[in-house]
Amino acid sequence: MPTWIADILIALSLIFFTALICLLITVGYWYWVDVRQTKHAIRRNFPVIGRFRYWFENLGEFFRQYFFAMDREEMPFNRSERAWAYRAAKNVDTTIAFGSTRKLAPGEPIFLNCPFPTLETDIAETSQITIGEGYCKEPYTAPSIINVSGMSYGAISKPAILALTKGAKMADIWVNTGEGGLSEHHLHAGCDLVFQIGTAKYGVRDSQGKLDHEKLLNIAKYPQVKMFEIKLSQGAKPGKGGILPAEKVTEEIAKIRLIPAHQPSLSPNGHPEIKNPEDIINMIFDIRKTTQKPVGIKFVLGAYAWLDEFFSLIKTKGYDYAPDFITLDGGEGGTGAAPQSLMDYMGLPLRESLPLLVSKRKEYGLESRIKIIASGKLINPGNVAWAICLGADFVVTARGFMFALGCIQALQCNKNTCPTGVTTYNKELQKGLDPTGKSIRVMNYAKNLEKSVGIIAHSCGVKEPRQLKAHHVHIVTASGSLIPEEKRSHLN
């Protein structure tokens, strides 16, 4: 045997025995630790072997996602829903074959095709809606039905913000800043923006955390900022404010939010100056007077008796006190960090709350004054079309556009470990998200989503999505039968 081969074999043998010795020492150390610790019963009773339980528990989440869960089983978004979003973002074929795998669960919509569908020669452009017309010096004519919901800079990364805003500019849609304030990254691409005012007033707060009108006016001076949204509550955590862990509060984030760096950013669970419906309309009036731009509110509907007092006050005090729009978030949970008790159990889902709000708006004759923006798991054409049928004027989605950015539903948005770079400030993980390439996918997703909603509309016999009405959709009941959406009890 040649000498050099013998030398290689000796070296490999040394490496193997060294690794084996290190492994035996490590296992011995684990055994010594496990039998003496008292925190974990499994590890104490089954030293070393018990450690694999926690490893498999973590791996189980990923194995279920890719190997064991059926296409329509996974939560919060199943594989079929995510696959459509990915294909739409990549601008590839979104057709399927051999029949639908969708189960008709209670509350799910079925659209009524018309025997005389709209022909391609008769298709109309989606009509635009102007928000705040007659009540603001600078009303906003919004070009698109589908827009980007609130995601704060801090909750999502710089590359994600850059990709979203650049893609939004190309798709001619707006981006909601989320409650984290306005950054230069939001402004970079020149897209339309909705500035969200959360309970902590990030970006427009004084040293005591109260609304600073001078800072508010400075934000309003940006021509890209088209509207202001007062966030009362959000789908991920109704009744609790925003949560941003200390590791995400960088020097830059702290400067934008006007808070100390490297400390947790915890928003109050409500606006201290809002105690009743009259306080809400007074704040709306005050912010609109300062900014001269449309002002709306965002909330998750739970208890709804207050809507009567709210709308009655508007009728009494005048339309100047009305919100120019209401963003209705469903209690289905969102992207942000939230206590599981709130994400699982708090707030009405959009399936219940949207018909209620639309009915109340109609009851008080405010359809022409207040626009409704629907939010809550509306990432696919069917859900968007349903919301339009029920009376929503616009739809916003956060998670849909996260999928367009490459989100794989790793369920780590509340940590700093997002593997796709969307919700992390780890530079090594952020580098995987290329803003230039992902901005194209954001544009594709927005355009294909609206196009697919149009396909549903044309099949229903109308010329464009805004002509969809409640009579175009039926809803599956608990017994499995179908009833017209317009005949559900809370619409009467």
Side-chain angles (χ1 to χ4, degrees):
M1 178 185 298
T3 304
W4 64 272
I5 294 179
D7 291 341
I8 290 175
L9 290 175
I10 293 171
L12 290 173
S13 299
L14 289 173
I15 292 171
F16 172 77
F17 285 112
T18 301
L20 181 62
I21 291 169
C22 289
L23 177 62
L24 291 173
I25 292 172
T26 300
V27 170
Y29 174 74
W30 284 349
Y31 182 91
W32 183 83
V33 170
D34 288 351
V35 296
R36 283 163 174 77
Q37 60 84 36
T38 57
K39 188 176 180 180
H40 301 285
I42 292 292
R43 284 171 52 194
R44 187 173 176 86
N45 289 338
F46 303 94
V48 182
I49 296 174
R51 289 173 176 262
F52 287 94
R53 171 188 177 273
Y54 306 101
W55 185 53
F56 287 133
E57 190 175 70
N58 290 329
L59 282 180
E61 181 179 299
F62 302 101
F63 277 99
R64 286 190 296 273
Q65 179 172 352
Y66 292 105
F67 298 105
F68 303 124
M70 299 295 287
D71 283 350
R72 299 281 184 173
E73 288 181 342
E74 199 179 352
M75 296 291 283
F77 294 95
N78 61 53
R79 188 182 294 118
S80 180
E81 291 170 324
R82 297 199 320 274
W84 186 91
Y86 293 143
R87 293 197 300 270
K90 294 174 183 177
N91 202 30
V92 298
D93 186 12
T94 57
T95 61
I96 59 173
F98 216 67
S100 173
T101 59
R102 176 174 175 249
K103 295 179 181 178
L104 297 183
E108 288 295 312
I110 287 290
F111 298 93
L112 306 185
N113 61 293
C114 177
F116 315 107
T118 302
L119 301 177
E120 288 190 14
T121 54
D122 298 324
I123 291 173
E125 290 289 327
T126 302
S127 55
Q128 297 183 349
I129 288 180
T130 299
I131 303 173
E133 188 171 21
Y135 299 93
C136 314
K137 284 188 177 180
E138 299 181 48
Y140 176 46
T141 300
S144 176
I145 287 177
I146 291 107
N147 299 279
V148 183
S149 189
M151 292 181 280
S152 302
Y153 180 43
I156 61 174
S157 65
K158 173 183 171 180
I161 291 287
L162 291 173
L164 284 172
T165 52
K166 187 175 180 180
K169 177 64 176 178
M170 293 186 287
D172 204 11
I173 63 177
W174 81 61
V175 171
N176 189 305
T177 64
E179 70 167 76
L182 182 68
S183 73
E184 61 179 322
H185 315 307
H186 288 106
L187 298 165
H188 179 75
C191 71
D192 292 348
L193 298 170
V194 177
F195 183 88
Q196 188 180 89
I197 303 172
T199 56
K201 317 293 193 302
Y202 292 134
V204 289
R205 56 187 274 145
D206 61 19
S207 57
Q208 282 77 45
K210 296 180 180 179
L211 185 64
D212 186 316
H213 286 74
E214 184 177 350
K215 292 186 176 73
L216 182 66
L217 182 58
N218 289 335
I219 296 293
K221 288 178 180 177
Y222 287 103
Q224 285 176 239
V225 177
K226 303 297 184 181
M227 302 194 295
F228 289 82
E229 180 181 81
I230 304 167
K231 185 174 77 170
L232 304 178
S233 56
Q234 67 184 88
K237 41 187 175 290
K240 187 167 181 62
I243 303 171
L244 193 67
E247 58 266 28
K248 284 191 171 186
V249 185
T250 63
E251 296 287 345
E252 182 189 17
I253 297 299
K255 184 178 179 180
I256 293 167
R257 296 192 177 206
L258 305 174
I259 57 174
H262 312 300
Q263 295 181 22
S265 177
L266 305 175
S267 301
N269 62 341
H271 290 270
E273 61 271 62
I274 294 180
K275 303 295 184 184
N276 51 56
E278 187 164 11
D279 290 339
I280 297 175
I281 65 173
N282 287 337
M283 179 179 276
I284 292 167
F285 182 84
D286 178 49
I287 293 175
R288 188 189 297 115
K289 182 179 178 182
T290 301
T291 64
Q292 301 297 317
K293 294 183 178 182
V295 179
I297 54 175
K298 176 181 180 177
F299 57 79
V300 177
L301 196 60
Y304 47 85
W306 69 275
L307 289 176
D308 287 302
E309 182 182 352
F310 180 68
F311 289 137
S312 294
L313 278 168
I314 292 169
K315 300 291 283 188
T316 301
K317 298 192 72 169
Y319 282 5
D320 284 337
Y321 287 85
D324 298 296
F325 63 91
I326 293 175
T327 302
L328 181 66
D329 207 359
E332 293 92 335
T335 60
Q340 187 171 353
S341 55
L342 296 184
M343 196 173 280
D344 282 349
Y345 298 107
M346 190 63 67
L348 288 176
L350 197 67
R351 294 270 185 228
E352 296 298 318
S353 61
L354 181 57
L356 280 166
L357 180 62
V358 170
S359 179
K360 284 296 178 185
R361 181 180 67 166
K362 182 178 180 181
E363 180 183 337
Y364 285 88
L366 293 167
E367 299 102 308
S368 61
R369 176 67 184 97
I370 302 173
K371 308 308 177 189
I372 292 179
I373 303 170
S375 174
K377 296 188 76 174
L378 304 177
I379 74 165
N380 295 108
N383 291 330
V384 173
W386 169 84
I388 300 300
C389 283
L390 263 289
D393 299 290
F394 301 94
V395 163
V396 292
T397 175
R399 287 174 286 185
F401 283 102
M402 289 177 70
F403 289 136
L405 291 174
C407 168
I408 61 170
Q409 194 170 274
L411 307 181
Q412 297 181 39
C413 306
N414 59 325
K415 303 174 184 177
N416 201 28
T417 54
C418 170
T420 58
V422 178
T423 65
T424 180
Y425 276 76
N426 182 319
K427 297 295 184 183
E428 288 301 309
L429 294 173
Q430 280 187 9
K431 69 183 182 183
L433 201 165
D434 172 35
T436 302
K438 297 301 184 183
S439 65
I440 302 296
R441 295 194 179 186
V442 168
M443 177 192 68
N444 288 339
Y445 174 74
K447 287 185 174 295
N448 284 322
L449 181 53
E450 187 152 349
K451 178 182 177 181
S452 295
V453 174
I455 290 173
I456 292 174
H458 305 151
S459 296
C460 289
V462 297
K463 293 184 178 181
E464 57 108 340
R466 292 201 186 280
Q467 294 178 355
L468 287 169
K469 304 298 178 186
H471 64 262
H472 289 121
V473 62
H474 278 214
I475 294 298
V476 181
T477 67
S479 64
S481 60
L482 292 167
I483 62 168
E485 178 67 271
E486 59 186 344
K487 291 186 178 179
R488 293 176 80 183
S489 60
H490 51 232
L491 288 180
N492 296 329

